[in-house]
Amino acid sequence: MDALLVEVTRGDRVESRHAGAAVVADTGGMVLFRAGDVDAPIYARSTVKAMLAVPLVESGAADRLGLTPPELALACASHSGLPIHADTAAAMLARAGRDEGCLECGAHWPTSPSAAQALAGAGRQPSALHNSCSGKHAGFVCLACDAGHPVGGYVEPEHPVMRQVTQAMSDLTDCRLDEENRGIDGCGIPTYALPLRALATGFARFGCGTGLSADRAEAVRRLREAVAAHPEMVAGEGCFDTRMIEAFGPALFSKMGAEGVQVAALPELGLGIAVKSADGSARAAEVAMAALLARYLPADDERHPVLDRAMRPVLRNWLGREIGGLRPAGALLPRRTGDAARV
């Protein structure tokens, strides 16, 4: 059953409510917090991009091709299509001797309004490089080229690259990933339904490397460090993930996914967090995640306003007047001093 996560207010009244599920787990799968059904399978969508990037580093392909930290961060990203994002994806492909013509993610307008307006104003059409997933796909192309696999069809479940990255995700989450729980993501690759609890456990492991081989632990460390050093690559200016990582640096890995899925890893605490908004609302997932981060992450005077704004975003009308906002609800209401984290 879904739990109440977030309320939307207009004036002094609650106008809407968002339900869903949320969980905090450690590397062994122990649950420290839960709300709603955390064992029901949900499609992880783009939250797992960093997991899918692990073989790129672990195999040595990233080093052999000379991929830079910004490029590794883009491989984990759902970027907003800014020039820096498209140019970095193109640079990744160039390192493998390829260009955008080999990308199988499709093209869409940048999700950044300013980038989309600039592109249209220049009389240009978007390319696959502007796709939010172009960095991930460029990473797949790099992995295929380094291993000598055919590049064409790399999005198919049986392609060697897709089998390799899916296995990495399976290992981290302890979930079987096959045709029984497979769907197709917006960018064309397989996406898998798995319990929210398993997703949180997987990101707890991704965050600190506990239980991983030495090579894999080193790979996840490098990916986390790349993301922490280049949060602008992970999403874009003003986006939730970028704002959170800018504020907390290496203490937090944060990643959104379509249809209201949001994950985080807290490396210093060995914890993973996963949230799913039942109605697919990104705004609800972000508020819920901010509320859980406020419980577990130490926040100083500089960081507190960042979390507060994310946890209670203001709604304004077209004239800029404040008319309401969003706030945590139900089990996500702030704890009283002295309350235990486990519920």
Side-chain angles (χ1 to χ4, degrees):
M1 174 180 285
D2 293 326
L4 175 63
L5 298 180
V6 175
E7 293 177 334
V8 185
T9 63
R10 185 174 295 269
D12 296 329
R13 293 180 178 273
V14 174
E15 183 175 34
S16 300
R17 295 178 175 86
H18 293 287
V23 60
V24 180
D26 67 12
T27 59
M30 179 179 292
V31 172
L32 281 71
F33 172 95
R34 73 172 73 205
D37 187 352
V38 301
D39 293 311
I42 59 99
Y43 283 114
R45 303 298 297 272
S46 288
T47 61
V48 295
K49 284 180 176 177
M51 291 184 179
L52 302 182
V54 168
L56 180 63
V57 179
E58 183 182 30
S59 68
D63 288 336
R64 286 188 290 269
L65 293 173
L67 294 181
T68 65
E71 291 165 350
L72 292 180
L74 196 75
C76 304
S78 293
H79 65 72
S80 50
L82 294 168
I84 190 175
H85 300 142
D87 292 346
T88 301
M92 293 172 69
L93 294 170
R95 294 183 186 281
R98 298 283 177 157
D99 61 27
E100 64 190 80
C102 68
L103 293 178
E104 298 182 9
C105 55
H108 64 68
W109 286 97
T111 57
S112 163
S114 63
Q117 290 165 8
L119 200 63
R124 297 172 55 197
Q125 291 291 316
S127 74
L129 295 173
H130 298 99
N131 188 303
S132 297
C133 301
S134 66
K136 173 183 70 177
H137 281 251
F140 295 154
V141 171
C142 286
L143 188 56
C145 290
D146 178 76
H149 299 312
V151 172
Y154 68 84
V155 299
E156 299 301 326
E158 296 308 314
H159 189 280
V161 163
M162 208 50 54
R163 290 204 306 267
Q164 189 176 2
V165 301
T166 300
Q167 187 61 54
M169 177 180 164
S170 176
D171 293 344
L172 284 163
T173 60
D174 287 334
C175 286
R176 181 177 178 179
L177 307 177
D178 55 27
E179 65 277 2
E180 296 298 319
N181 58 348
R182 181 191 301 148
I184 300 176
D185 215 330
C187 67
I189 72 164
T191 184
Y192 294 91
L194 66 163
L196 205 64
R197 179 211 299 254
L199 193 58
T201 300
F203 274 98
R205 295 167 179 167
F206 179 87
C208 63
T210 298
L212 308 184
S213 68
D215 287 345
R216 182 157 291 179
E218 174 65 9
V220 299
R221 182 193 65 79
R222 287 181 60 187
L223 289 169
R224 293 196 315 270
E225 288 185 352
V227 166
H230 301 280
E232 73 283 356
M233 289 296 184
V234 179
E237 184 178 0
C239 297
F240 181 86
D241 292 331
T242 294
R243 287 185 286 123
M244 293 300 106
I245 298 168
E246 284 176 342
F248 288 92
L252 172 65
F253 174 87
S254 176
K255 185 68 186 70
M256 58 74 65
E259 295 299 324
V261 189
Q262 183 79 37
V263 301
L266 310 183
E268 295 172 3
L269 301 178
L271 299 179
I273 307 175
V275 171
K276 167 63 177 173
S277 173
D279 63 359
S281 166
R283 68 178 187 176
E286 291 174 0
V287 169
M289 178 58 73
L292 288 170
L293 293 178
R295 286 184 177 223
Y296 291 94
L297 276 176
D300 56 24
D301 289 343
E302 182 178 336
R303 292 167 172 176
H304 266 302
V306 176
L307 278 180
D308 288 344
R309 287 193 295 271
M311 193 166 29
R312 296 180 179 82
V314 170
L315 295 178
R316 299 182 185 277
N317 65 12
W318 294 111
L319 297 173
R321 180 180 178 183
E322 182 175 339
I323 56 172
L326 284 80
R327 65 192 185 195
L332 294 180
L333 287 171
R335 292 179 294 144
R336 298 182 303 273
T337 302
D339 284 351
R342 191 187 306 273
V343 299

